[in-house]
Amino acid sequence: MFLYMQGKKELLSFGLGSISILGVFLIWYLVGELEVVSELFIPHPRSVWRAFLEVSTDGYRGGTLLVHLGSSLGRLIGGYFAAVFLGVPLGLLIGLYPKARILLNPLFEFYRPLPPLAYYSLLILWLGIGELSKITLLFLAALPPIIMNARAGVENIPLHRIDAARTLGSRPRGLFFQVIFPSCLPFIFTGLRVGIGFAYTTLISAEIVAAVNGIGWLVLDAGRFLRTDILFMAVIVMGVTGMVLDLLLRTLEQKLIPWKGYQ
Amino acid sequence: MTYKTSSRDVKVLEATNLDIFPGEFVSLIGPSGCGKSTLLRLVAGLLPPSAGQILWKGQEILGPDRHRCLSFQQPHLFPWLSVQKNVEFGPKNRGLSRKEQRECSNYYLSLVKLTDFADSYPHELSGGMQQRVALARALANEPQLLLLDEPLGALDALTREHMQDELKAIWQRTGCAIILVTHSVDEAVYLGTRILVNSHRPARIIFDHPGMGHEGREAKNRAEFLALKDQVLSYVWD
């Protein structure tokens, strides 16, 4: 019964969500049909679809859509995974050891609110205009939320849960893998989702400077040449890709921690 | 025993001399904040005493031990483990083989009548069922002393009545000693073979009397049960 209700509820929210998307599309379509605004500003959906087919097959300035998307996602994944593998252990460490927190916090608090673009020029200066500076930028963008959430995970473990484990014979060393780490998983996942969002929004910044491919670069370059149809298409592709990435993480989260939200 | 807080040290337990014997069911009752939970944590070995000592079979208690298991008002199950794996947590830590772990968890799950829910996860169970899992998890270590910190406090009245009988049955079957902290006089008198009443902070034991722990549910209607309840209550309110 409960599952059925939940299914129905999901269907309802999906339906309502589709209505808003369809509504916007309809307005866009009407604007295009009635030629209210010049194609230069708002291209007809048909032109955008043609641009999609054109860039998908013939490519845009040396690469098909898939190539551009692929090189962007490659950078994203590179920077993001580095942030996950460093950020999660570091966050747990800061949460577990007050001394690590005292040592690292001032540094972290300084770097955390900096907009990534502020230090991007410096990264280019140090690491060159190739892939390394871009990946490093995405890495630095994804890192803070991952660290902060892993740390919050440790700080939010119910103390009685630790007591329960100890009274059931957990040794201090086993305690980490038996209780602390799994207890932190819901928070860690929140960090992973926010982190990929931060990295993704920084992607376009990373591709502003000295890139010759990538979906972010495609948006900028099409804008520069007033190819509004391609620009629209690329923005839509970026949006959909972002949604898919979040959906992937959410699905993984539901698989791994179905108990999230319960104590 | 003093308890350190950020602002001041609170003296929680006054020189408490207390002997607990094997197989006893001790009900401990007293006003809130009088240090009942602290006493349990001390006996469990989760908290070192600031003064004095607690002996377990003549040896000073230095840390947690599987023979002294503590269970809380909230079940505090491990939400990522199935019911069965929760119960096997202790047996696994004591190094039993996989087969022995399974036998052990099966036995204690049947004891708390949750065999059918072995593969469920804690969040899929009701509060009363979760508390029974917590009990099975504590029992699976086959402790000689079970420390229960208001295990029935968060349950609704009907479930609570029922769980009292289950607790009594489990105590009779396993033969372990139990210290039960409770806020219910009725529960203390009905379950305990011995009733202790703590005073306000710093707590001293002001009442130590045999309870009706060996009797059945019909004892609740007897005049002596009601008289004992009144007597305990007068000490609690004093």
Side-chain angles (χ1 to χ4, degrees), chain B residues 60-103:
Chain B
E60 196 165 345
I61 290 174
L62 296 172
D65 184 304
R66 77 168 181 100
H67 291 299
R68 287 171 277 115
C69 196
L70 176 59
S71 199
F72 309 88
Q73 178 172 12
Q74 299 298 326
H76 289 292
L77 300 174
F78 305 117
W80 55 91
L81 297 178
S82 69
V83 165
Q84 184 126 41
K85 291 279 177 197
N86 262 285
V87 178
E88 284 169 8
F89 192 90
K92 193 176 167 192
N93 275 330
R94 355 182 209 132
L96 294 192
S97 74
R98 195 160 273 228
K99 188 164 159 278
E100 288 167 323
Q101 289 174 31
R102 197 37 60 101
E103 282 166 6

Short mmCIF file of all heavy atoms in Angstrom, two decimals, chain B residues 60-103:
data_model
loop_
_atom_site.label_atom_id
_atom_site.label_comp_id
_atom_site.label_asym_id
_atom_site.label_seq_id
_atom_site.Cartn_x
_atom_site.Cartn_y
_atom_site.Cartn_z
N GLU B 60 38.53 -4.58 39.10
CA GLU B 60 38.08 -3.25 38.77
C GLU B 60 37.67 -3.17 37.30
O GLU B 60 38.33 -3.75 36.42
CB GLU B 60 39.19 -2.24 39.05
CG GLU B 60 38.67 -0.82 39.10
CD GLU B 60 39.69 0.14 39.71
OE1 GLU B 60 40.65 -0.33 40.35
OE2 GLU B 60 39.50 1.34 39.55
N ILE B 61 36.59 -2.45 37.03
CA ILE B 61 36.11 -2.30 35.65
C ILE B 61 36.94 -1.24 34.93
O ILE B 61 37.02 -0.10 35.38
CB ILE B 61 34.62 -1.92 35.64
CG1 ILE B 61 33.79 -3.11 36.12
CG2 ILE B 61 34.19 -1.47 34.26
CD1 ILE B 61 32.32 -2.81 36.30
N LEU B 62 37.56 -1.62 33.83
CA LEU B 62 38.44 -0.67 33.12
C LEU B 62 37.87 -0.25 31.76
O LEU B 62 38.29 0.74 31.18
CB LEU B 62 39.82 -1.30 32.91
CG LEU B 62 40.59 -1.59 34.21
CD1 LEU B 62 41.84 -2.39 33.93
CD2 LEU B 62 40.93 -0.29 34.93
N GLY B 63 36.92 -0.99 31.26
CA GLY B 63 36.35 -0.63 29.97
C GLY B 63 35.16 -1.52 29.67
O GLY B 63 34.79 -2.35 30.51
N PRO B 64 34.54 -1.33 28.51
CA PRO B 64 33.38 -2.15 28.17
C PRO B 64 33.74 -3.64 28.09
O PRO B 64 34.90 -3.98 27.81
CB PRO B 64 32.96 -1.63 26.80
CG PRO B 64 33.64 -0.34 26.62
CD PRO B 64 34.88 -0.39 27.45
N ASP B 65 32.78 -4.47 28.34
CA ASP B 65 33.01 -5.91 28.34
C ASP B 65 31.73 -6.57 27.88
O ASP B 65 30.63 -6.11 28.21
CB ASP B 65 33.34 -6.35 29.77
CG ASP B 65 33.69 -7.81 29.86
OD1 ASP B 65 32.88 -8.67 29.43
OD2 ASP B 65 34.78 -8.11 30.36
N ARG B 66 31.84 -7.62 27.11
CA ARG B 66 30.64 -8.23 26.55
C ARG B 66 29.73 -8.83 27.62
O ARG B 66 28.56 -9.07 27.39
CB ARG B 66 31.00 -9.29 25.52
CG ARG B 66 31.46 -10.61 26.10
CD ARG B 66 31.49 -11.63 24.97
NE ARG B 66 31.90 -12.93 25.46
CZ ARG B 66 31.05 -13.91 25.73
NH1 ARG B 66 29.76 -13.73 25.62
NH2 ARG B 66 31.51 -15.08 26.13
N HIS B 67 30.30 -9.08 28.81
CA HIS B 67 29.47 -9.64 29.88
C HIS B 67 28.61 -8.59 30.55
O HIS B 67 27.76 -8.91 31.36
CB HIS B 67 30.36 -10.33 30.92
CG HIS B 67 30.99 -11.57 30.37
ND1 HIS B 67 30.25 -12.63 29.91
CD2 HIS B 67 32.29 -11.90 30.18
CE1 HIS B 67 31.07 -13.57 29.48
NE2 HIS B 67 32.31 -13.16 29.61
N ARG B 68 28.87 -7.30 30.24
CA ARG B 68 28.04 -6.23 30.80
C ARG B 68 27.53 -5.39 29.64
O ARG B 68 28.23 -4.53 29.14
CB ARG B 68 28.88 -5.35 31.74
CG ARG B 68 29.21 -6.01 33.05
CD ARG B 68 30.20 -5.20 33.84
NE ARG B 68 31.57 -5.48 33.40
CZ ARG B 68 32.36 -4.60 32.82
NH1 ARG B 68 31.96 -3.38 32.60
NH2 ARG B 68 33.57 -4.95 32.46
N CYS B 69 26.35 -5.70 29.18
CA CYS B 69 25.86 -5.04 27.98
C CYS B 69 24.81 -3.99 28.32
O CYS B 69 23.93 -4.22 29.13
CB CYS B 69 25.28 -6.07 27.02
SG CYS B 69 25.10 -5.40 25.38
N LEU B 70 24.95 -2.81 27.69
CA LEU B 70 24.04 -1.69 27.96
C LEU B 70 23.10 -1.47 26.78
O LEU B 70 23.52 -1.47 25.63
CB LEU B 70 24.87 -0.43 28.23
CG LEU B 70 24.15 0.89 28.44
CD1 LEU B 70 23.20 0.83 29.61
CD2 LEU B 70 25.16 2.01 28.67
N SER B 71 21.82 -1.32 27.08
CA SER B 71 20.84 -1.01 26.04
C SER B 71 20.10 0.26 26.45
O SER B 71 19.89 0.49 27.63
CB SER B 71 19.88 -2.19 25.90
OG SER B 71 19.22 -2.13 24.67
N PHE B 72 19.69 1.07 25.46
CA PHE B 72 19.23 2.42 25.77
C PHE B 72 17.74 2.60 25.56
O PHE B 72 17.06 1.75 25.01
CB PHE B 72 19.96 3.43 24.88
CG PHE B 72 21.44 3.27 24.90
CD1 PHE B 72 22.07 2.41 24.02
CD2 PHE B 72 22.21 3.97 25.80
CE1 PHE B 72 23.44 2.27 24.04
CE2 PHE B 72 23.57 3.83 25.83
CZ PHE B 72 24.20 2.98 24.95
N GLN B 73 17.26 3.80 25.95
CA GLN B 73 15.85 4.13 25.75
C GLN B 73 15.50 4.11 24.27
O GLN B 73 14.49 3.58 23.86
CB GLN B 73 15.56 5.50 26.34
CG GLN B 73 14.11 5.92 26.12
CD GLN B 73 13.76 7.18 26.86
OE1 GLN B 73 14.62 7.88 27.37
NE2 GLN B 73 12.48 7.48 26.93
N GLN B 74 16.36 4.72 23.45
CA GLN B 74 16.20 4.60 22.01
C GLN B 74 16.96 3.35 21.58
O GLN B 74 18.03 3.07 22.12
CB GLN B 74 16.78 5.81 21.30
CG GLN B 74 16.11 7.13 21.68
CD GLN B 74 14.64 7.14 21.31
OE1 GLN B 74 14.24 6.55 20.31
NE2 GLN B 74 13.82 7.77 22.14
N PRO B 75 16.43 2.60 20.62
CA PRO B 75 17.09 1.32 20.29
C PRO B 75 18.51 1.49 19.74
O PRO B 75 19.34 0.61 19.93
CB PRO B 75 16.17 0.69 19.26
CG PRO B 75 15.14 1.70 18.92
CD PRO B 75 15.16 2.78 19.93
N HIS B 76 18.79 2.63 19.07
CA HIS B 76 20.11 2.86 18.49
C HIS B 76 20.64 1.64 17.72
O HIS B 76 21.76 1.19 17.94
CB HIS B 76 21.12 3.27 19.57
CG HIS B 76 20.85 4.65 20.07
ND1 HIS B 76 21.02 5.76 19.28
CD2 HIS B 76 20.39 5.09 21.24
CE1 HIS B 76 20.68 6.83 19.98
NE2 HIS B 76 20.28 6.46 21.17
N LEU B 77 19.80 1.14 16.85
CA LEU B 77 20.24 0.07 15.96
C LEU B 77 21.13 0.67 14.89
O LEU B 77 21.16 1.88 14.70
CB LEU B 77 19.02 -0.60 15.31
CG LEU B 77 18.04 -1.22 16.31
CD1 LEU B 77 16.81 -1.71 15.59
CD2 LEU B 77 18.69 -2.36 17.08
N PHE B 78 21.87 -0.18 14.19
CA PHE B 78 22.70 0.30 13.09
C PHE B 78 21.84 0.27 11.82
O PHE B 78 21.51 -0.81 11.34
CB PHE B 78 23.95 -0.56 12.94
CG PHE B 78 24.73 -0.65 14.22
CD1 PHE B 78 24.90 -1.86 14.86
CD2 PHE B 78 25.28 0.48 14.80
CE1 PHE B 78 25.60 -1.94 16.06
CE2 PHE B 78 25.98 0.42 15.99
CZ PHE B 78 26.14 -0.80 16.62
N PRO B 79 21.45 1.45 11.30
CA PRO B 79 20.43 1.46 10.25
C PRO B 79 20.88 0.83 8.93
O PRO B 79 20.05 0.48 8.11
CB PRO B 79 20.14 2.96 10.06
CG PRO B 79 21.28 3.68 10.66
CD PRO B 79 21.85 2.80 11.72
N TRP B 80 22.20 0.68 8.74
CA TRP B 80 22.68 0.10 7.48
C TRP B 80 22.76 -1.42 7.55
O TRP B 80 23.09 -2.07 6.57
CB TRP B 80 24.06 0.67 7.12
CG TRP B 80 25.06 0.48 8.21
CD1 TRP B 80 25.90 -0.57 8.36
CD2 TRP B 80 25.32 1.37 9.29
NE1 TRP B 80 26.66 -0.40 9.49
CE2 TRP B 80 26.33 0.79 10.08
CE3 TRP B 80 24.80 2.61 9.66
CZ2 TRP B 80 26.83 1.40 11.23
CZ3 TRP B 80 25.29 3.20 10.81
CH2 TRP B 80 26.29 2.61 11.58
N LEU B 81 22.47 -1.99 8.71
CA LEU B 81 22.51 -3.44 8.84
C LEU B 81 21.09 -3.99 8.95
O LEU B 81 20.23 -3.37 9.56
CB LEU B 81 23.30 -3.85 10.09
CG LEU B 81 24.78 -3.47 10.14
CD1 LEU B 81 25.38 -3.91 11.47
CD2 LEU B 81 25.54 -4.11 9.00
N SER B 82 20.87 -5.17 8.38
CA SER B 82 19.57 -5.82 8.54
C SER B 82 19.39 -6.20 10.00
O SER B 82 20.34 -6.19 10.78
CB SER B 82 19.51 -7.07 7.66
OG SER B 82 20.40 -8.04 8.16
N VAL B 83 18.17 -6.54 10.36
CA VAL B 83 17.87 -6.96 11.73
C VAL B 83 18.81 -8.09 12.16
O VAL B 83 19.42 -8.05 13.23
CB VAL B 83 16.39 -7.40 11.82
CG1 VAL B 83 16.13 -8.18 13.09
CG2 VAL B 83 15.48 -6.18 11.74
N GLN B 84 18.96 -9.06 11.28
CA GLN B 84 19.82 -10.20 11.61
C GLN B 84 21.27 -9.76 11.85
O GLN B 84 21.91 -10.17 12.81
CB GLN B 84 19.78 -11.21 10.45
CG GLN B 84 20.57 -12.47 10.73
CD GLN B 84 19.73 -13.71 10.55
OE1 GLN B 84 18.94 -13.81 9.62
NE2 GLN B 84 19.88 -14.66 11.44
N LYS B 85 21.77 -8.89 10.96
CA LYS B 85 23.16 -8.43 11.10
C LYS B 85 23.34 -7.56 12.34
O LYS B 85 24.42 -7.55 12.95
CB LYS B 85 23.57 -7.63 9.85
CG LYS B 85 23.70 -8.47 8.61
CD LYS B 85 25.05 -9.18 8.58
CE LYS B 85 25.16 -10.08 7.36
NZ LYS B 85 26.24 -11.06 7.52
N ASN B 86 22.28 -6.83 12.70
CA ASN B 86 22.35 -6.06 13.94
C ASN B 86 22.56 -6.99 15.13
O ASN B 86 23.38 -6.72 15.99
CB ASN B 86 21.06 -5.26 14.13
CG ASN B 86 21.20 -3.81 13.68
OD1 ASN B 86 21.81 -3.01 14.37
ND2 ASN B 86 20.65 -3.49 12.53
N VAL B 87 21.79 -8.08 15.14
CA VAL B 87 21.89 -9.02 16.27
C VAL B 87 23.25 -9.71 16.24
O VAL B 87 23.81 -10.05 17.28
CB VAL B 87 20.73 -10.03 16.22
CG1 VAL B 87 20.84 -11.04 17.36
CG2 VAL B 87 19.40 -9.31 16.31
N GLU B 88 23.80 -9.90 15.05
CA GLU B 88 25.09 -10.60 14.94
C GLU B 88 26.28 -9.69 15.22
O GLU B 88 27.43 -10.15 15.22
CB GLU B 88 25.22 -11.22 13.53
CG GLU B 88 24.38 -12.47 13.37
CD GLU B 88 24.27 -12.95 11.93
OE1 GLU B 88 24.98 -12.40 11.07
OE2 GLU B 88 23.47 -13.85 11.67
N PHE B 89 26.00 -8.42 15.46
CA PHE B 89 27.11 -7.46 15.66
C PHE B 89 28.03 -7.89 16.81
O PHE B 89 29.25 -7.92 16.66
CB PHE B 89 26.52 -6.07 15.94
CG PHE B 89 27.51 -4.95 15.88
CD1 PHE B 89 27.76 -4.29 14.70
CD2 PHE B 89 28.21 -4.57 17.02
CE1 PHE B 89 28.67 -3.24 14.65
CE2 PHE B 89 29.13 -3.54 16.97
CZ PHE B 89 29.35 -2.87 15.78
N GLY B 90 27.42 -8.23 17.95
CA GLY B 90 28.22 -8.66 19.11
C GLY B 90 28.93 -9.98 18.87
O GLY B 90 30.15 -10.07 19.03
N PRO B 91 28.18 -11.02 18.47
CA PRO B 91 28.82 -12.32 18.20
C PRO B 91 29.98 -12.22 17.21
O PRO B 91 31.00 -12.87 17.37
CB PRO B 91 27.67 -13.15 17.62
CG PRO B 91 26.44 -12.57 18.25
CD PRO B 91 26.71 -11.10 18.41
N LYS B 92 29.83 -11.35 16.20
CA LYS B 92 30.89 -11.18 15.21
C LYS B 92 32.13 -10.59 15.89
O LYS B 92 33.25 -11.03 15.65
CB LYS B 92 30.40 -10.25 14.11
CG LYS B 92 31.27 -10.23 12.88
CD LYS B 92 30.65 -9.36 11.82
CE LYS B 92 31.66 -9.08 10.73
NZ LYS B 92 31.20 -8.03 9.82
N ASN B 93 31.87 -9.60 16.77
CA ASN B 93 33.00 -8.98 17.48
C ASN B 93 33.70 -9.94 18.42
O ASN B 93 34.87 -9.77 18.72
CB ASN B 93 32.52 -7.76 18.27
CG ASN B 93 32.47 -6.52 17.39
OD1 ASN B 93 33.25 -6.40 16.45
ND2 ASN B 93 31.55 -5.63 17.68
N ARG B 94 32.94 -10.93 18.93
CA ARG B 94 33.66 -11.87 19.80
C ARG B 94 34.31 -12.99 19.00
O ARG B 94 34.82 -13.94 19.56
CB ARG B 94 32.83 -12.55 20.86
CG ARG B 94 31.53 -12.30 21.11
CD ARG B 94 30.96 -13.10 22.27
NE ARG B 94 29.56 -13.25 21.97
CZ ARG B 94 28.91 -14.39 22.05
NH1 ARG B 94 29.51 -15.48 22.42
NH2 ARG B 94 27.65 -14.42 21.74
N GLY B 95 34.27 -12.90 17.69
CA GLY B 95 35.03 -13.83 16.86
C GLY B 95 34.37 -15.16 16.65
O GLY B 95 35.05 -16.16 16.36
N LEU B 96 33.05 -15.24 16.76
CA LEU B 96 32.37 -16.50 16.44
C LEU B 96 32.42 -16.74 14.94
O LEU B 96 32.53 -15.80 14.16
CB LEU B 96 30.90 -16.43 16.88
CG LEU B 96 30.60 -16.34 18.38
CD1 LEU B 96 29.12 -16.59 18.63
CD2 LEU B 96 31.43 -17.33 19.17
N SER B 97 32.33 -18.01 14.55
CA SER B 97 32.32 -18.32 13.12
C SER B 97 30.98 -17.86 12.55
O SER B 97 30.03 -17.59 13.28
CB SER B 97 32.47 -19.81 12.91
OG SER B 97 31.26 -20.47 13.25
N ARG B 98 30.95 -17.77 11.22
CA ARG B 98 29.74 -17.29 10.56
C ARG B 98 28.53 -18.14 10.93
O ARG B 98 27.44 -17.64 11.14
CB ARG B 98 29.98 -17.34 9.04
CG ARG B 98 28.98 -16.55 8.26
CD ARG B 98 29.53 -16.25 6.91
NE ARG B 98 30.32 -15.03 6.93
CZ ARG B 98 30.18 -14.05 6.04
NH1 ARG B 98 29.33 -14.19 5.07
NH2 ARG B 98 30.90 -12.97 6.10
N LYS B 99 28.78 -19.44 11.00
CA LYS B 99 27.68 -20.37 11.31
C LYS B 99 27.19 -20.15 12.74
O LYS B 99 25.99 -20.11 13.01
CB LYS B 99 28.18 -21.81 11.13
CG LYS B 99 27.12 -22.87 11.23
CD LYS B 99 27.62 -24.20 10.66
CE LYS B 99 26.82 -25.37 11.20
NZ LYS B 99 27.27 -25.80 12.53
N GLU B 100 28.13 -19.99 13.65
CA GLU B 100 27.76 -19.75 15.05
C GLU B 100 27.02 -18.42 15.20
O GLU B 100 26.07 -18.32 15.97
CB GLU B 100 29.02 -19.75 15.93
CG GLU B 100 29.63 -21.12 16.11
CD GLU B 100 31.03 -21.06 16.71
OE1 GLU B 100 31.79 -20.13 16.37
OE2 GLU B 100 31.35 -21.94 17.52
N GLN B 101 27.50 -17.41 14.44
CA GLN B 101 26.81 -16.11 14.48
C GLN B 101 25.36 -16.27 14.08
O GLN B 101 24.45 -15.72 14.71
CB GLN B 101 27.47 -15.13 13.51
CG GLN B 101 28.83 -14.63 13.92
CD GLN B 101 29.45 -13.79 12.81
OE1 GLN B 101 28.76 -13.11 12.06
NE2 GLN B 101 30.76 -13.81 12.70
N ARG B 102 25.15 -17.03 12.99
CA ARG B 102 23.80 -17.20 12.47
C ARG B 102 22.92 -17.95 13.46
O ARG B 102 21.78 -17.56 13.72
CB ARG B 102 23.89 -17.95 11.11
CG ARG B 102 22.70 -17.92 10.18
CD ARG B 102 21.94 -16.62 10.11
NE ARG B 102 22.67 -15.43 9.69
CZ ARG B 102 22.63 -14.91 8.48
NH1 ARG B 102 21.91 -15.47 7.55
NH2 ARG B 102 23.29 -13.81 8.20
N GLU B 103 23.47 -19.01 14.07
CA GLU B 103 22.71 -19.78 15.06
C GLU B 103 22.31 -18.89 16.23
O GLU B 103 21.18 -18.92 16.71
CB GLU B 103 23.56 -20.96 15.58
CG GLU B 103 23.60 -22.14 14.62
CD GLU B 103 24.69 -23.14 14.98
OE1 GLU B 103 25.35 -22.96 16.04
OE2 GLU B 103 24.89 -24.08 14.20
#
